[in-house]
Amino acid sequence: MIIQRLPWAGIRISEGDIVIVIDPISRILEEFGGAHEPMYPLSFFGNADAVLITHLHEDHFDPDAIIKAYGAAIPVYVPNEVAETARAAGLTNVNGVAVGTSFEIGGDVKVTALPSVDGLGDVQSAWVVEGGGRKVIHCGDTLWHGFWWGFAKNYGPFDAAFLPVNGAVLRLPGMMPSGQPICLTPEQAVAAAAILGAVRLVPIHYGTMQNPPIYNETPDIADRLAAASEGKVNISMIKATETVTL
């Protein structure tokens, strides 16, 4: 299994002849300060057989880019509750997936939808992808939650966990600020990866957006990951376009 990191939270998984992309985007909205790392058209990374979307926030769901790169009829899998919204964006082969459901993409590649917790209370799923004797989990922009132990018991261990690490704190118009992170901090991501039995943690969801006071990324991410992970889990901090082979 070869996994290429895409900008922000996206990844591209190649297993045999099957290619899956998760949360692929080609832009960061200007209201969040635009992108602080290079962005690419999705076609830059090559073809895909299926798209998995953890949730419909605009930094994880880019329907125009998906249609332009792969065509409107590419199979797109989203949480069951938001399937109609995804279809309304112009995608013609949207499949709503209930938590706990597994399905095959092709070859021996199987995908399972697991529960996840979104920082703004919106519907979100985590995705487990397995094939070729390897298994990975991608958790979108999840908060800390109590599902990790169940994931480990029922679906683990994992060869890699792709987890958000930037512990972002938001100040959005019309919402009372909490001062609390809306996704995992570096320390929480390491703890989650260790519970999951992941061989390695591949950090996602950091470095691309920073636009105070609206969007505030936690500081010193790399150093904090290194300190927290010692003796617990391997860290693979790869940039967009770089790959890991499992």
Side-chain angles (χ1 to χ4, degrees), residues 124-167:
Q124 181 172 192
S125 293
W127 297 107
V128 174
V129 179
E130 52 189 307
R134 302 298 185 186
K135 186 186 299 181
V136 302
I137 186 169
H138 183 292
C139 293
D141 64 359
T142 186
L143 285 166
W144 180 266
H145 55 63
F147 296 113
W148 307 117
W149 291 270
F151 289 0
K153 178 181 178 181
N154 297 314
Y155 300 96
F158 298 91
D159 294 282
F162 295 82
L163 302 177
V165 298
N166 78 336

Side-chain angles (χ1 to χ4, degrees), residues 190-208:
V190 168
I195 293 168
L196 290 169
V199 175
R200 70 176 80 195
L201 164 61
V202 183
I204 58 171
H205 203 276
Y206 70 95
T208 312

Side-chain angles (χ1 to χ4, degrees), residues 154-236:
N154 297 314
Y155 300 96
F158 298 91
D159 294 282
F162 295 82
L163 302 177
V165 298
N166 78 336
V169 175
L170 299 189
R171 292 181 63 92
L172 295 177
M175 294 182 66
M176 178 179 291
S178 69
Q180 300 303 310
I182 64 160
C183 63
L184 297 177
T185 65
E187 294 80 9
Q188 289 174 330
V190 168
I195 293 168
L196 290 169
V199 175
R200 70 176 80 195
L201 164 61
V202 183
I204 58 171
H205 203 276
Y206 70 95
T208 312
M209 278 201 290
Q210 175 71 334
N211 190 31
I214 295 173
Y215 193 95
N216 304 273
E217 181 171 271
T218 197
D220 305 321
I221 290 172
D223 290 344
R224 289 165 60 187
L225 284 168
S229 65
E230 188 172 356
K232 295 180 180 178
V233 64
N234 297 317
I235 305 290
S236 295

